[in-house]
Every structure is written in structure tokens, then in C-alpha cells.
Amino acid sequence: MTQSLLHRILDYDNRANPYPIYEELRKNPVHHEADGPFVISTYYEIRGLLHDPRISSDARNLASNAADPLAEPASEESALPPGFLRLDPPEHDRMRRMTNRPFGPPHSPRRVDGMRPELKDIVDGLIDGIGDPARIDLVEQFSYPFPVTVICRLLGVPREDEARFHVWADTLAASLDPDPDADPADRGKGAHDARMQLGMYLAGLIEERRKNPGDDMLSQLATAKGGDGSMTTMELLSTAALLLIAGHETTVNLITNGMLTLLRNPGVLERLRAEPRLAVPIVEELLRFEPPVQLLPQRTTLADIEVRGVTIPKGASLWLVLASGNRDPRRFDDPDRFDPDRPDIQHLGLGSGIHSCFGAPLARLEAQLALSELARRLVNPRLLDDPPPYRQNAVLRGPRHLNITCDDIRP
């Protein structure tokens, strides 16, 4: 029996290369199967909906009969409240403004760029610790620990507690990327316990920062008072958890997908080794070519909306397939070619509109530093598995392991 396009998107067998499925989707830009979500796959339509105030990110606006196979069970959010990514204005706008004050312009314009030396030190330490260059799992040894260490430093988690934070991040990441052979009850309990422990730890850290604030982001969030008021402890918890999970998972995939793409394009890798500044356009093209977030599920319509002649009813479940829009030939010339010299890369890899990626400046800088240093220090790197084994997750798509070999590691 022929699988529907929706099931093919979710089928693990297609995870290594979902792009032929997206090409089929674009033949019918508004795809809908009985009792399923409306799937939008073309660039201009996705971009328009990302800026449309009639599109909601709040699951409470879904009609009771709207089906979404990627919807999370309500119990998943029981330990911590939803972050502002899952809220609509005005609640979303207030929380995002408050979170942005200690993170970026105009209030903290040098927060991210000021981390550059510390990020470089973390990258150097991880590469120094790789050990045997004959077999390297880049995910386990580099691209996974790097962003969670950065989030710990950003929030102000004490160095002695970073190992505990890594364990919670590992457990929560596993819940986002479930092993089909694992017992669902055990997996759910492990994720719930990790959320509870993370929440309790953060609550204690927040209380400590209110009494003895430092120059870290959590201290500034905990003590800030402004036109939007101050965050409650529960709002602080949800924001800190959002920064941990959303910021960590996407950056892992961006770095891993990036190195995989460079190893498949050795000429570009060689150019990056000679020209570290090329990391900037390379990362932008990677965000188009292999975005870490493939699609945005759990959106819904606040009114009947017509898209390309199709009426999407109020309360319907909506998927916006960013990775398909990024390969739309109506928007990009030769879209299936990786080309860091592409003159126009207005991609959807970090979203757009009010929910555009909050951590985009940090994610870009992390990926630029990571890829340029890996290119410089790994001598003659090659893939051991191509395609590599992928994670189960169809939304946060990336290799679960990236096994490579190289001749040596430069100092």
C-alpha cells in the first residue's frame, strides 16, 4: 500500500533525505489529508503565514477535532509551563521583550559578541579532548556538549553544576527524539523526572540570583524591573528551560548538519580552512540547505484563511515545512545545490515574523566558530558512514551520530 505524503515525512526511512518528498509536496502547496493537518510547503506561502496575525502558536486555539500527529501530550508540559514560543500576543510580546533585554540589542548589544572569546575556549577544549583522530563521533564529542555548555555559561549555571545540567539536557533531548524500541512509559517517566529536577534546580538558582545577582543572564532576568513589570518565578522557569532546550537542540543539528555538508563538499571545506571568514556565508547557506528545524507543527488558524485557493478553516492544525520552502525553485535558483556564494539567501531556517528564532545571533556565532575551527584543526577529515544514522525526530532533523576519521588534529 502506498504511504501518504504525511506518513512519508514522518517515516524514519526517509530521514536521511526528505527532500524528494518535499518536492512532491510543492506540487500542491496546500496539502491536506483526511483528519490531518494542512501542510504548507512553498516559500512565499510559508513566509506570508509566519507574518499573519491569524496564525496562532497557542495549542489552546486548536479545534477539539483537529488532529496533529506531532502534537505533544499535555502531560509533557506538566512540570514547567509553556515558553513564549507557544504563546500569542500580547503575552508572547511581553515575555519576549523581557527576555531580550539582557540578551541583545538595544539593551544588551554586546552580550553575544562579548561571549566570542569564551566560545572559542570551549571549542578549543572540546577539540583538544577528542583523543584518537582515527574515529571521532562528532555529535557525542563536540556538537552535543558545545551548545549546552554555552547555555550554562549564558544563564550563569555554576561550573560545578554543569555536569548535572548536561544529564538533564540529555534526558530531555531523548524525549524530543524517542527511541521506537524503548518503553514509552519509562521514557515518559524519565523525561518528567528530568523536568522536575531541572525545574527545582532552576528555582533554587533563581532564588539565589535574586539575593546575590551576578552579571549572568539569569540574574538580570530575575532582578529586572521595567515597563513590562518583572517575571514571576514560573515565567523565569519556563524561559530558562526554553533557552536550554530550544537553543541547545537546534545548534547541535546546525553544527552536525554543517560538518556533514562540508565533508560532502570538500572543495568548500578546503576554502573554509584557508578563509575562516567564509564561515559567515557558509552558515547562512546551511540554514537554507539543511535547516536544523525542518517544519513548524502545532500552528493553528484563528479564522478561516484562504491560501492558494484552498480555505483552511478556523481551528485547523497547520504545518509549515520550512525546509521545503528553502528548496522552492520559485524562490531560489538551483535550490538543491549547496552554494555559499549564493548572492541571495533570505532563508526560512530561523523562521520569520514574531516567532523568528530568539537565539539566532548566538546560534550563528556558535556554528561559525565551530565549523571554522573544525576545518582548521582536523587534518584530512572523512566520513566513515554516509548517510549517517539519523535521529528519529522529523522536526529537529539531524544525525544521531556523525562518525568521521582524520589523519591528525592540529594544535
Side-chain angles (χ1 to χ4, degrees), residues 16-24 26 41-43 46 257 261 264-265 285-291 294 321-338 342 346-349 390 397:
N17 184 17
Y19 296 101
I21 301 168
Y22 300 158
E23 184 177 1
E24 287 185 56
R26 288 192 297 270
S41 57
T42 45
Y43 179 92
I46 293 170
N257 287 334
T261 302
R264 288 170 170 171
N265 293 268
E285 174 68 344
L286 283 169
L287 286 163
R288 183 199 70 83
F289 186 76
E290 284 277 31
Q294 292 276 292
V321 190
L322 306 179
S324 175
N326 278 346
R327 301 270 189 123
D328 187 345
R330 291 173 57 233
R331 176 61 185 82
F332 297 103
D333 293 333
D334 198 6
D336 293 321
R337 182 166 63 93
F338 177 68
R342 192 177 293 276
Q346 293 185 10
H347 56 74
L348 301 170
Y390 274 78
R397 175 180 166 270

Side-chain angles (χ1 to χ4, degrees), residues 38-330:
F38 286 79
V39 182
I40 314 299
S41 57
T42 45
Y43 179 92
Y44 293 107
E45 285 67 34
I46 293 170
R47 185 174 174 83
L49 291 171
L50 287 171
H51 289 261
D52 195 322
R54 298 171 297 173
I55 301 300
S56 170
S57 297
D58 191 331
R60 292 171 294 187
N61 290 314
L62 276 168
S64 59
N65 62 344
D68 187 339
L70 290 175
E72 292 182 3
S75 61
E76 289 296 303
E77 295 297 334
S78 60
L80 293 174
F84 58 79
L85 280 182
R86 296 185 184 175
L87 297 174
D88 293 336
E91 293 89 349
H92 163 273
D93 298 350
R94 170 181 168 269
M95 289 290 293
R96 183 162 176 141
R97 279 195 304 268
M98 294 174 75
T99 309
N100 198 55
R101 284 194 186 101
F103 186 73
H107 302 283
S108 306
R110 289 173 291 279
R111 164 72 73 179
V112 171
D113 195 62
M115 293 185 72
R116 188 182 292 268
E118 188 168 18
L119 298 184
K120 175 69 163 51
D121 287 345
I122 297 169
V123 167
D124 287 343
L126 288 169
I127 296 176
D128 290 343
I130 282 175
D132 182 7
R135 188 172 183 88
I136 303 166
D137 183 344
L138 199 76
V139 175
E140 293 289 338
Q141 295 174 263
F142 184 85
S143 56
Y144 201 88
F146 176 39
V148 74
T149 302
V150 173
I151 292 295
C152 285
R153 305 284 172 85
L154 182 69
L155 290 176
V157 173
R159 298 287 177 96
E160 61 269 23
D161 290 343
E162 285 185 8
R164 297 168 66 195
F165 226 77
H166 276 257
V167 172
W168 293 324
D170 288 350
T171 305
L172 294 175
S175 74
L176 295 174
D177 186 42
D179 179 350
D181 298 324
D183 185 299
D186 290 344
R187 186 175 67 238
K189 184 179 185 305
H192 183 269
D193 289 349
R195 281 186 173 86
M196 289 295 292
Q197 292 168 23
L198 174 63
M200 291 171 64
Y201 173 81
L202 288 172
L205 193 59
I206 288 164
E207 191 59 33
E208 169 63 25
R209 291 295 184 269
R210 281 179 171 149
K211 293 176 183 174
N212 301 295
D215 60 358
D216 55 86
M217 190 170 170
L218 196 59
S219 293
Q220 291 176 276
L221 289 172
T223 58
K225 292 179 175 60
D228 290 308
S230 57
M231 283 194 189
T232 66
T233 297
M234 292 305 286
E235 287 173 336
L236 273 167
L237 287 173
S238 70
T239 300
L242 173 63
L243 292 170
L244 169 65
I245 302 303
H248 179 233
E249 289 304 304
T250 52
T251 309
V252 172
N253 286 345
L254 178 56
I255 293 170
T256 310
N257 287 334
M259 199 60 190
L260 173 61
T261 302
L262 289 172
L263 290 167
R264 288 170 170 171
N265 293 268
V268 178
L269 181 61
E270 197 59 41
R271 284 180 61 195
L272 177 60
R273 182 177 294 117
E275 307 169 54
R277 290 184 181 179
L278 193 63
V280 174
I282 281 175
V283 168
E284 291 311 302
E285 174 68 344
L286 283 169
L287 286 163
R288 183 199 70 83
F289 186 76
E290 284 277 31
V293 179
Q294 292 276 292
L295 64 99
L296 298 176
Q298 295 179 265
R299 296 298 194 270
T300 188
T301 44
L302 297 175
D304 289 0
I305 296 178
E306 184 174 311
V307 179
R308 294 287 288 267
V310 176
T311 298
I312 303 175
K314 177 181 177 180
S317 177
L318 198 64
W319 287 6
L320 305 177
V321 190
L322 306 179
S324 175
N326 278 346
R327 301 270 189 123
D328 187 345
R330 291 173 57 233

